[in-house]
Amino acid sequence: MKTMRKLQPWYSLIGIAVFAVILLAVAPSVLSLHWINNLGKYCCWAIVAVGIGMAWGRGGMLVMGQGVFFGLGAYAMAMHMTLETAGPGAVPTFMVLYDPLAPLPALWEPFRSPLFTIAAIIVLPLVVAGILGYALFKRRVKGAYFAILTQALAVALAVFVSSTIRETGGDTGLSGFKYFFGFVLTDDTNKIMIYMITAALLIVCMVVAWQLYRSRFGELLLATRDAEERVRFLGYDPANIKLVAFVIAAIMASIGGAMFVPIVGIITPQEIGASASILMIAGVALGGRASLFGPVLGAMAIGWGQSSLSSSWPEGWIYLLGLLFIVVTLFLPNGLASLFSRAKGFIRRGRADTTPAPTAPEKEEVVA
């Protein structure tokens, strides 16, 4: 049994390797460009889901405002791509429409640099999540209060972006991109390259999560979720443990948002608001928030449903999603990932029931 427990974490690493082969080798060779683009979009949501699984599934923090960090990464990337499309020293077209003589806002100017943009995608969520998490966790805000506060931030950010039409494009958002760090977006080869980068980032995030789950930090994160006061009694500060998981989840959400922009070609407030954040949570809950692969597969399934069913069945898709979420919550609280363990339990019980009881002489031999 001890040997099996030692080998168990490596099964997940083998699974990640198989998943990487499917995404990076099999999918590009068998799927059309349309489905490659869709799969890249699902990978963006899956990157966010890995972080949610860490914060919610392992840390017990119901992060219902990941749209905030998704939006930070998405708008940072969109601002750079908009300036790249406009050309050196030029002002974006949508700003010129409102005021032809107005200069480029000072906030936009640094995003002409690719290095600054990449740094902003990592640093912005780190700073925002660090400040927010420190303020909440040090005051021991948790449970429903934490979930409501994070969701309120997503709503506030969406409203703010909608109201700043000249700076962010408002409800219309940012679109019309032509370049991605110098690569032409209309080139099919470059589209596949962007998908490969996104899929590789997903694999990296999964490996990071796998390593953290099996480390001392992962054990402390689980202990904080299940017995926070005992962790505090042992000399650890649960607030710091939660803060690290919250910041990592925020950075992953920002990375997913940044790669979402060149794949989809547009970012609007609807992609970062409360409904988008709930959709991210729904995918994690469907797949199984406490597992490694559950959030990834659940997010991809919800993404496929949104892309396929919402266009052919726009009125009924949201009700189907709500019904699915209720059924999973009631009958599979640990998500679809728990089906495998339940199946193994049924098989073991079935074998135990069919095993004949030992006869009296056999019992004597065993005693002897």
Side-chain angles (χ1 to χ4, degrees):
M1 291 296 293
K2 291 182 179 180
T3 304
M4 289 299 294
R5 288 176 182 175
K6 289 180 181 179
L7 290 177
Q8 189 67 30
W10 294 100
Y11 292 159
S12 298
L13 189 60
I14 295 173
I16 294 174
V18 173
F19 194 56
V21 171
I22 294 174
L23 288 180
L24 298 174
V26 177
S29 60
V30 300
L31 296 180
S32 64
L33 188 61
H34 169 74
W35 282 107
I36 285 291
N37 194 66
N38 280 343
L39 185 58
K41 182 170 61 174
Y42 307 155
C43 286
C44 294
W45 287 326
I47 292 173
V48 183
V50 174
I52 295 176
M54 180 180 300
W56 182 30
R58 298 290 176 130
M61 298 169 283
L62 183 53
V63 284
M64 298 191 69
Q66 290 304 92
V68 172
F69 309 111
F70 187 88
L72 289 176
Y75 272 91
M77 179 65 77
M79 289 163 70
H80 171 75
M81 294 176 66
T82 300
L83 293 173
E84 195 175 18
T85 301
V91 178
T93 305
F94 76 92
M95 293 184 182
V96 175
L97 294 176
Y98 291 102
D99 189 354
L101 301 179
L104 184 71
L107 178 65
W108 277 68
E109 193 62 45
F111 287 94
R112 291 190 186 276
S113 169
L115 293 179
F116 179 87
T117 302
I118 294 173
I121 292 169
I122 304 298
V123 174
L124 279 177
L126 188 151
V127 173
V128 174
I131 296 174
L132 175 64
Y134 185 85
L136 294 179
F137 298 138
K138 287 298 182 180
R139 293 177 178 271
R140 301 188 184 183
V141 177
K142 55 185 177 180
Y145 299 102
F146 178 81
I148 292 171
L149 282 171
T150 54
Q151 189 176 46
L153 287 174
V155 175
L157 180 62
V159 172
F160 173 77
V161 172
S162 298
S163 60
T164 54
I165 300 176
R166 186 184 180 281
E167 290 77 13
T168 63
D171 291 330
T172 306
L174 299 177
S175 60
F177 314 115
K178 295 181 180 179
Y179 305 101
F180 172 75
F181 295 112
F183 294 94
V184 181
L185 287 176
T186 55
D187 191 334
D188 292 346
T189 303
N190 293 336
K191 290 181 180 180
I192 296 176
M193 177 199 67
I194 295 172
Y195 160 77
M196 297 289 282
I197 293 173
T198 306
L201 287 172
L202 172 59
I203 299 301
V204 170
C205 289
M206 293 179 69
V207 172
V208 170
W210 170 80
Q211 180 60 38
L212 290 175
Y213 288 168
R214 63 194 294 266
S215 66
R216 176 61 62 87
F217 169 77
E219 295 175 355
L220 288 173
L221 189 61
L222 279 176
T224 302
R225 181 195 67 183
D226 298 332
E228 184 173 329
E229 293 303 323
R230 290 187 180 184
V231 173
R232 185 176 288 107
F233 178 77
L234 291 173
Y236 297 97
D237 189 351
N240 294 335
I241 299 169
K242 289 182 177 181
L243 181 60
V244 172
F246 185 61
V247 169
I248 294 174
I251 293 174
M252 289 184 179
S254 180
I255 293 172
M259 296 310 301
F260 180 85
V261 173
I263 290 176
V264 178
I266 186 174
I267 183 66
T268 65
Q270 287 74 27
E271 301 292 344
I272 65 176
S275 58
S277 299
I278 293 174
L279 200 65
M280 298 172 189
I281 288 287
V284 175
L286 173 65
R289 62 183 184 270
S291 65
L292 179 60
F293 287 93
V296 173
L297 299 178
M300 287 186 166
I302 293 294
W304 174 82
Q306 185 187 35
S307 300
S308 303
L309 298 180
S310 62
S311 57
S312 60
W313 194 27
E315 296 180 356
W317 153 245
I318 192 65
Y319 296 105
L320 177 63
L321 177 62
L323 177 62
L324 184 64
F325 187 74
I326 293 172
V327 170
V328 170
T329 303
L330 290 177
F331 299 102
L332 289 172
N334 293 323
L336 298 178
S338 62
L339 288 176
F340 181 68
S341 59
R342 287 194 176 191
K344 288 197 301 183
F346 284 130
I347 293 173
R348 288 176 181 174
R349 285 196 293 270
R351 289 178 178 176
D353 294 338
T354 57
T355 302
T359 60
E362 289 177 343
K363 289 182 179 181
E364 293 177 357
E365 291 177 2
V366 171
V367 173

